[in-house]
């Protein structure tokens, strides 16, 4: 008879001991099959048990990876399981139990490091196409407003959690690079988008791109944080990389980000400003879709340099050369229907509690957090 039982999202949340937001995300991603009965989403008992079994199998893999991490810390070479050998970058949901800052990069493959360190929110992302992952969203089962937050940084997950505390809104996370996030907003698929796009001609972040993409759309630009960006290099910096112009060194191998990512735009603009043709940079077409994946390729010796933020370098155990301070901003559209939740967003960003939690993550300058950078006229 259990096969005929179905559950509401609230019941699923209680059974799994997670928030309703997590249940909605599982449904949206297709991990938990669901169907609509009137205004409610329902999940069959069989589908719930199937998901739980898959989750248990995933925990076994996570435990194996955690054990390999401990072996790496003690200087032992990990012995990959068959499931680890099958891991592909960008398709693992493994969360590390520890942070092996003393890992020997020579003993680690890019796939293993990516799988061991990558947060689920950094993996479930748009992979560079112009089709935002927020299409065909499942409508909310209750009368609260869905707010789609688009971008890849961990700070956005914290923001979603704070917005979820207000029962009027249901935040959902979509994972895409800065450029694709703005396109998603223009197409009506995103409500809050993050962006860190550098314009080499003006030296300005974000505004030059927003004005070109959100044509005739009144918007507000709010600072979330600032953070150092620069070049990843191998331990000891054997190629003696110190500045952007050093990327012209003969024989240097780079690993790039996908088109539209903030780090990719930063690299392209710096190459242009320093008269370095991308075609002369070996590895320019080799792309990864997260900072952690780029850092992992360098840690494994598959590349000499990459561009990204400091946190990933610290996690993997490679060196980071800070060259710019990038402004990481949030964009919202100034529409009457958005006024209430935009006011909530501003209160969250300016709150002491939110800033304290964001500061605890590390790697951010919060001196301008919550500041209105720009507000266009209606």
């Amino acid at each position: 008879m259990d096969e005929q039982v179905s559950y509401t999202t609230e019941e699923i949340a209680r059974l799994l001991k997670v928030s309703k937001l997590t249940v909605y995300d599982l449904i949206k991603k297709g991990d938990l099959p669901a169907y609509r009965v009137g205004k409610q989403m329902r999940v069959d008992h069989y589908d719930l048990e199937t998901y739980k079994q898959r989750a248990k199998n995933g925990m076994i893999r996570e435990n194996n990876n955690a054990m390999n991490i401990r072996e790496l810390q003690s200087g032992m070479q990990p012995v990959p399981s068959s499931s680890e050998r099958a891991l592909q970058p960008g398709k693992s949901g493994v969360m590390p139990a520890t942070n092996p800052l003393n890992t020997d990069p020579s003993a680690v493959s890019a796939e293993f490091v990516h799988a061991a360190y990558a947060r689920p929110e950094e993996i479930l992302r748009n992979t560079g196409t112009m089709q935002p992952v927020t299409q065909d969203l499942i409508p909310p089962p209750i009368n609260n407003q869905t707010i789609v937050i688009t971008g890849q940084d961990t700070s956005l997950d914290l923001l979603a959690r704070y917005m979820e505390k207000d029962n009027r809104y249901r935040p959902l996370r979509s994972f895409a690079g800065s450029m694709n996030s703005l396109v998603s907003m223009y197409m009506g698929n995103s409500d809050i988008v993050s962006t860190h796009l550098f314009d080499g001609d003006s030296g300005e972040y974000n505004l030059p791109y927003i004005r070109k993409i959100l044509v005739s759309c009144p918007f507000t630009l709010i600072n979330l944080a600032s953070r150092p960006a620069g070049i990843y290099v191998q331990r000891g910096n054997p190629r003696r990389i110190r500045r952007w112009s050093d990327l012209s060194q003969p024989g240097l191998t780079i690993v790039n980000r996908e088109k539209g990512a903030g780090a990719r735009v930063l690299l392209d603009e710096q190459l242009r400003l320093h008269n370095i043709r991308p075609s002369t940079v070996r590895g320019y077409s080799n792309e990864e879709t997260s900072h952690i994946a780029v850092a992992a390729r360098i840690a494994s010796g598959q590349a000499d340099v990459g561009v990204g933020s400091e946190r990933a370098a610290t996690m993997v155990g490679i060196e980071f050369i800070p060259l710019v301070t990038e402004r990481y901003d949030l964009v919202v559209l100034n529409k009457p229907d958005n006024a209430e939740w935009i006011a909530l967003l501003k209160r969250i960003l300016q709150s002491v509690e939110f800033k304290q939690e964001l500061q605890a993550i590390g790697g951010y300058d919060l001196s301008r957090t919550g500041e209105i950078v720009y507000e266009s006229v209606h």
Side-chain angles (χ1 to χ4, degrees):
M1 295 296 293
D2 282 343
E3 287 76 8
Q4 300 177 14
V5 174
S6 66
Y7 305 100
T8 65
T9 51
E10 290 81 1
E11 290 169 335
I12 293 291
R14 286 197 298 270
L15 289 169
L16 296 181
K17 294 182 173 60
V18 298
S19 70
K20 287 190 294 182
L21 173 63
T22 299
V23 177
Y24 295 142
D25 283 344
L26 291 173
I27 293 172
K28 179 172 69 75
K29 293 181 294 193
D31 293 339
L32 190 59
Y35 56 94
R36 183 173 293 282
V37 177
K39 293 185 177 181
Q40 283 192 332
M41 298 300 297
R42 308 287 298 190
V43 176
D44 286 340
H45 175 81
Y46 173 81
D47 291 324
L48 174 61
E49 292 303 312
T50 300
Y51 167 76
K52 288 165 65 177
Q53 187 60 49
R54 289 201 308 268
K56 289 177 182 177
N57 292 339
M59 286 301 294
I60 293 172
R61 181 177 64 183
E62 180 178 350
N63 290 338
N64 288 339
N65 276 326
M67 183 165 57
N68 279 340
I69 290 172
R70 288 191 292 272
E71 290 173 351
L72 281 169
Q73 288 178 302
S74 63
M76 298 171 60
Q77 175 74 23
V79 179
S81 66
S82 58
S83 62
E84 287 163 354
R85 286 193 295 269
L87 285 175
Q88 297 295 323
K91 295 184 179 180
S92 169
V94 180
M95 283 286 289
T98 55
N99 183 12
L101 297 179
N102 297 322
T103 298
D104 177 9
S106 65
V108 191
S109 69
E111 290 80 5
F112 176 76
V113 175
H114 184 272
Y117 287 98
R119 295 171 55 87
E121 64 266 23
E122 290 173 332
I123 298 171
L124 299 165
R125 58 188 172 266
N126 184 301
T127 56
T129 69
M130 297 306 286
Q131 301 296 325
V133 296
T134 53
Q135 291 180 342
D136 301 324
L137 289 174
I138 294 174
I142 53 179
N143 294 325
N144 53 5
Q145 184 179 354
T146 297
I147 306 295
V148 179
I149 304 174
T150 305
Q152 297 183 343
D153 194 72
T154 304
S155 58
L156 301 176
D157 302 300
L158 178 63
L159 176 62
R161 181 157 59 81
Y162 269 77
M163 294 197 73
E164 186 186 17
K165 295 178 182 179
D166 190 316
N167 293 330
R168 296 173 299 170
Y169 307 111
R170 180 167 66 96
L172 294 178
R173 286 283 286 111
S174 172
F175 301 90
S178 293
M179 195 77 76
N180 286 348
S181 293
L182 289 172
V183 172
S184 177
M185 172 167 277
Y186 180 75
M187 299 300 293
N189 293 318
S190 296
D191 299 298
I192 302 172
V193 306
S194 64
T195 176
H196 56 114
L197 295 168
F198 175 72
D199 176 61
D201 293 328
S202 64
E204 175 67 274
Y205 264 90
N206 301 323
L207 270 174
Y209 296 90
I210 298 170
R211 286 171 171 149
K212 291 179 181 178
I213 296 175
L214 299 182
V215 179
S216 73
C217 297
F219 65 89
T220 296
L221 188 65
I222 311 172
N223 181 249
L224 177 58
S226 298
R227 62 187 185 187
I231 298 176
Y232 300 144
V233 297
Q234 296 176 9
R235 280 184 175 177
N237 194 5
R239 300 300 297 258
R240 299 294 183 264
I241 303 297
R242 296 290 180 227
R243 55 189 67 84
W244 295 111
S245 59
D246 291 337
L247 297 181
S248 63
Q249 285 186 18
L252 194 72
T253 300
I254 195 170
V255 56
N256 211 343
R257 284 294 303 276
E258 79 279 12
K259 292 180 179 178
R264 172 65 170 262
V265 172
L266 176 60
L267 173 64
D268 286 346
E269 286 292 83
Q270 294 297 340
L271 292 179
R272 179 176 68 85
L273 292 173
H274 290 85
N275 297 312
I276 302 173
R277 296 196 309 274
S279 60
T280 65
V281 181
R282 187 166 66 181
Y284 178 83
S285 60
N286 296 331
E287 298 178 356
E288 292 289 353
T289 53
S290 71
H291 290 319
I292 201 75
V294 170
R297 290 278 292 271
I298 295 166
S300 66
Q302 297 180 42
D304 299 307
V305 297
V307 174
S309 60
E310 185 174 11
R311 188 163 177 263
T314 301
M315 292 174 67
V316 175
I318 59 176
E319 294 190 24
F320 174 74
I321 311 299
L323 294 176
V324 299
T325 298
E326 62 178 13
R327 210 180 63 226
Y328 197 70
D329 294 331
L330 301 178
V331 188
V332 295
L333 295 182
N334 297 333
K335 299 191 295 187
D337 291 345
N338 296 348
E340 289 191 6
W341 65 255
I342 290 177
L344 171 65
L345 171 65
K346 293 176 181 178
R347 289 196 299 272
I348 291 172
L349 294 177
Q350 293 168 0
S351 70
V352 174
E353 294 80 9
F354 177 81
K355 291 181 180 180
Q356 285 178 340
E357 286 203 51
L358 188 55
Q359 191 70 60
I361 296 174
Y364 299 109
D365 175 1
L366 307 184
S367 59
R368 299 184 64 184
T369 299
E371 178 183 324
I372 305 301
V373 177
Y374 179 85
E375 191 166 17
S376 59
V377 179
H378 291 261

